[in-house]
Amino acid sequence: IQYGYTGTRSHGLAIDYASGILKNIQIENIQSYHGEANGMTVYKECDITLENIQVDNIYAGTQLIDDDIDSLNLPNLTPRACGVDIRPNTIVNINEDIGIINGDNIVGFETCYDQDTIIDEDKQKELLDIKGGFHNHNIDKIQSISMIIMIIVVMTVGLTILLWNKCIITQNKNKDNNNGASEYTPLL
């Protein structure tokens, strides 16, 4: 989720591994003195619908000045403010009519609405899944590739064990045949 624990993030509401509908939620007055501030943060593996989420007065890095920001290094990130921060590997359906309503006071040294983070319309259509929500398809590709690799490894291990067992059985049969006794040796 972050490079290192800084203890500087403030969230009005943070969800993780959740599913369902979140509606009629009002989040205000979230402030972080030295780090990120989000009205709502949607972390991994969520499959949710947002309806009538109102967010305002979100302030990030309120106790810092520009010189402080210029001297930051990891794990300390530039304080970013966001009404609703939707992270990768999640599905979020947003009601187009009354989905997310951000107020005018979402203030930080960066925001998730800055020019460099705004998704253009073509990219947004690419990211929309069938239900109309945001979905990180790169994560799905990585998970699919990982699953294929896992299947190949399991099959290889299984075949190796079967072949090893067959070799042991063959060796045992050869030992039995080489000790001079056979079913044709007469009993005395």
Side-chain angles (χ1 to χ4, degrees):
I1 294 174
Q2 66 186 27
Y3 295 107
Y5 178 72
T6 61
T8 60
R9 290 186 174 178
S10 296
H11 307 276
L13 173 66
I15 60 173
D16 202 358
Y17 292 94
S19 62
I21 299 172
L22 296 169
K23 62 182 176 180
N24 302 324
I25 297 173
Q26 184 171 347
I27 301 170
E28 296 180 329
N29 303 319
I30 305 300
Q31 179 179 353
S32 173
Y33 288 168
H34 299 102
E36 181 175 293
N38 297 318
M40 175 187 286
T41 306
V42 181
Y43 286 114
K44 61 186 173 265
E45 298 296 328
C46 288
D47 185 356
I48 61 170
T49 298
L50 299 178
E51 294 180 3
N52 192 27
I53 308 299
Q54 299 177 18
V55 183
D56 200 9
N57 299 324
I58 309 297
Y59 301 99
T62 59
Q63 300 298 310
L64 300 175
I65 59 174
D66 287 333
D67 290 339
D68 296 327
I69 300 305
D70 293 338
S71 66
L72 288 176
N73 51 36
L74 291 177
N76 301 300
L77 303 175
T78 301
R80 182 178 73 122
C82 192
V84 177
D85 187 11
I86 300 171
R87 298 298 175 106
N89 199 20
T90 187
I91 299 171
V92 177
N93 305 300
I94 301 172
N95 182 316
E96 291 179 24
D97 299 326
I98 56 166
I100 300 170
I101 303 161
N102 284 316
D104 295 329
N105 294 318
I106 311 256
V107 180
F109 288 89
E110 291 178 355
T111 69
C112 54
Y113 315 109
D114 288 337
Q115 251 341 41
D116 59 341
T117 59
I118 293 176
I119 300 171
D120 66 8
E121 196 171 308
D122 292 334
K123 183 69 174 172
Q124 187 173 8
K125 286 179 185 174
E126 235 178 81
L127 293 174
L128 289 175
D129 71 11
I130 296 169
K131 298 177 188 175
F134 291 100
H135 190 84
N136 190 331
H137 295 288
N138 290 333
I139 298 296
D140 285 346
K141 287 178 186 176
I142 291 169
Q143 287 176 339
S144 296
I145 291 169
S146 296
M147 184 61 74
I148 290 169
I149 291 171
M150 180 67 80
I151 290 170
I152 290 170
V153 167
V154 167
M155 289 177 63
T156 303
V157 169
L159 286 171
T160 303
I161 290 171
L162 285 173
L163 289 173
W164 184 65
N165 282 335
K166 185 173 180 178
C167 288
I168 289 174
I169 290 170
T170 304
Q171 283 179 347
N172 287 339
K173 282 184 181 179
N174 288 339
K175 278 184 184 178
D176 289 341
N177 289 336
N178 291 335
N179 67 7
S182 76
E183 63 184 20
Y184 300 110
T185 305
L187 296 175
L188 299 175

